[in-house]
Amino acid sequence: MKFNTHIQNLPIYEAGKPIELVVREFGINPKNIIKLASNENPLGTSKSVIKTLQKVAKNASLYPDDSFYELKDALANLYSVKSENIVIGSGSDQIIEFALHAKTSDKNAILVSGTTFAMYEIYAKHTGAKVYKTQSKEHDLNEFRKTYNEHKNEIKVIFLCIPNNPLGDCLDASEVMKFISEVDKDTLVIIDGAYMEFAKFKDKKKAINPKDLISKFPNALYLGTFSKAYGLGGMRVGYGVGSSELITALHKLRAPFNITTLSLAAAIAAIKDKDFIKKTLKNNLKEMKVYEKFATKNGIKFIPSYTNFITFIFDETKNATQISDNLLKKGIILRNLKSYGLNAIRITIGKPEQNKRVLGELKKEI
């Protein structure tokens, strides 16, 4: 069977290993497994969301309200925008897919950072688009400017992951806004704010306000998700905030009922539970310092993180793959970044008791 030529060399996204796989491979009791590989919320899901899911479970046979009125209204109030400025997706990565199908083809290209979320490249290649990357691993806007100006006629979409996954680095909001002002108005700039809640809690200079963004730049799209701070990774709910013209275009690519009845109810409940979010952010910031202290004490390079994870980068005397494999056999699931070309591991910030065990076992490996 023949397939479209542009997918022949398309990489497959490598997700973090699930707990079930570790149970099958190593026979470890699920209770003894710590999964800190996929940047899920270690505090789980808020109790109010769980109660809501129990109530609406009886409606699982029904399609959701495809207007997503209540969720869009809640997001509109959160960001002081209008409902028509919002599109809902099955995770924010579905909005990425919509945007690339709206703007790219085999006749043009996208621009991304040297190391960033792999799905930007994968989805771009779905459309046959070329991918330009900056030379630096971390976000460097001067390199973005240089590459963009060299290939301005080709580049139709620029991705800025703010803060950046899988490294954790984060640009100041003022720097980002200045950069967008220099970009051609027909070039779509996507601000992926999947970890923005953590960044702005740690440093207000990092906070990108979707209202300010889209009011100044009709060619900008802000992405958010319920998978991280809100603890709904298993529900798959994301959203995009943009100009009404841009959102209308994306809606043309959205299939009906693209999130489930239960996912919709969970997201509506999650956005109301502000106490759970505060608890999540406080735990993350406090425990992040534990990891930073460990790294400094043990001579491990790390990138100051504005997310809910930290990346440890090892020198040539250590092997990140071997370290992560050894920890996996002990029931500790971390993210090996070999697929990103890095001798590094990414660790989601867990609860205090989880972090204590993880760092204790990691100490034995280094």
Side-chain angles (χ1 to χ4, degrees):
M1 183 181 293
K2 293 182 179 180
F3 299 99
N4 291 335
T5 55
H6 65 266
I7 72 166
Q8 288 178 355
N9 298 316
L10 194 65
I12 296 174
Y13 182 75
E14 185 180 319
K17 284 183 169 55
I19 291 174
E20 295 81 0
L21 178 63
V22 178
V23 171
R24 290 195 301 269
E25 284 191 3
F26 303 109
I28 301 173
N29 188 321
K31 293 180 181 179
N32 296 326
I33 294 175
I34 296 176
K35 185 189 178 189
L36 297 179
S38 300
N39 306 333
E40 296 145 328
N41 192 323
L43 304 186
T45 303
S46 85
K47 291 180 181 178
S48 62
V49 170
I50 293 172
K51 288 179 181 178
T52 297
L53 288 171
Q54 291 170 338
K55 288 179 182 178
V56 302
K58 64 181 183 296
N59 297 328
S61 62
L62 304 176
Y63 289 118
D65 169 14
D66 193 51
S67 73
F68 305 133
Y69 172 82
E70 194 173 350
L71 177 57
K72 289 166 90 172
D73 189 57
L75 287 167
N77 288 330
L78 178 65
Y79 293 125
S80 299
V81 297
K82 297 179 180 178
S83 291
E84 53 261 40
N85 294 126
I86 298 168
V87 61
I88 304 298
S90 178
S92 56
D93 53 340
Q94 189 178 50
I95 312 297
I96 294 170
E97 187 176 16
F98 295 161
L100 288 169
H101 278 281
K103 286 291 292 180
T104 62
S105 69
D106 59 359
K107 295 178 176 61
N108 47 49
I110 71 166
L111 173 59
V112 300
S113 185
T115 302
T116 194
F117 185 42
M119 290 308 298
Y120 305 149
E121 178 176 358
I122 292 173
Y123 280 135
K125 289 183 176 178
H126 284 190
T127 70
K130 189 172 182 178
V131 179
Y132 288 109
K133 297 182 180 182
T134 62
Q135 291 295 312
S136 62
K137 296 294 185 184
E138 299 173 51
H139 275 39
D140 184 328
L141 288 180
N142 286 331
E143 287 199 18
F144 270 89
R145 290 183 176 95
K146 179 182 177 182
T147 307
Y148 177 66
N149 289 330
E150 288 175 353
H151 307 282
K152 193 171 183 178
N153 293 333
E154 287 182 86
I155 294 171
K156 295 300 178 184
V157 179
I158 299 173
F159 283 96
L160 292 174
C161 194
I162 313 290
N164 189 22
N165 176 27
L167 298 181
D169 57 298
C170 190
L171 297 166
D172 284 355
S174 59
E175 295 179 280
V176 175
M177 301 294 265
K178 184 177 185 302
F179 172 73
I180 300 174
S181 70
E182 301 166 9
V183 173
D184 184 85
K185 300 309 177 188
D186 192 49
T187 301
L188 176 62
V189 181
I190 299 179
I191 304 298
D192 189 343
Y195 299 91
M196 182 55 68
E197 289 87 357
F198 301 99
K200 65 184 181 182
F201 185 75
K202 184 175 183 178
D203 185 349
K204 291 181 180 179
K205 290 187 296 184
K206 310 298 182 184
I208 294 177
N209 185 317
K211 179 184 178 182
D212 292 343
L213 182 72
I214 68 172
S215 63
K216 293 178 181 177
F217 308 112
N219 60 321
L221 176 66
Y222 179 90
L223 302 180
T225 183
F226 285 88
S227 296
K228 309 303 178 187
Y230 288 95
L232 296 182
M235 291 283 100
R236 308 304 299 127
V237 185
Y239 55 91
V241 184
S243 68
S244 56
E245 179 187 27
L246 174 55
I247 296 302
T248 297
L250 299 184
H251 268 294
K252 293 178 180 180
L253 296 163
R254 184 186 72 84
F257 314 119
N258 60 318
I259 66 170
T260 71
T261 298
L262 298 184
S263 297
L264 177 59
I268 293 167
I271 205 169
K272 295 176 182 177
D273 194 344
K274 293 180 172 55
D275 288 339
F276 178 76
I277 295 297
K278 287 180 182 177
K279 187 177 179 181
T280 293
L281 298 177
K282 286 180 179 179
N283 175 77
N284 185 76
L285 188 59
K286 178 175 177 288
E287 292 300 304
M288 178 73 75
K289 293 175 183 177
V290 174
Y291 278 90
E292 291 175 345
K293 184 177 179 180
F294 174 88
T296 300
K297 184 177 180 180
N298 291 280
I300 300 172
K301 181 182 177 182
F302 69 92
I303 297 168
S305 176
Y306 293 85
T307 64
N308 67 340
F309 63 82
I310 190 167
T311 298
F312 284 178
I313 303 173
F314 299 102
D315 60 30
E316 62 278 0
T317 66
K318 306 287 190 305
N319 187 306
T321 299
Q322 189 64 57
I323 292 171
S324 57
D325 286 349
N326 289 345
L327 291 175
L328 189 63
K329 294 172 185 176
K330 297 178 181 180
I332 296 174
I333 311 172
L334 308 179
R335 184 63 186 270
N336 176 19
L337 297 183
K338 183 180 179 181
S339 62
Y340 285 87
L342 298 172
N343 182 33
I345 54 174
R346 189 189 68 189
I347 310 171
T348 305
I349 305 301
K351 293 181 287 188
E353 60 272 21
Q354 292 176 316
N355 300 329
K356 183 178 180 180
R357 181 183 161 201
V358 168
L359 293 177
E361 294 295 341
L362 181 57
K363 175 68 174 177
K364 297 175 186 177
E365 296 296 330
I366 60 172

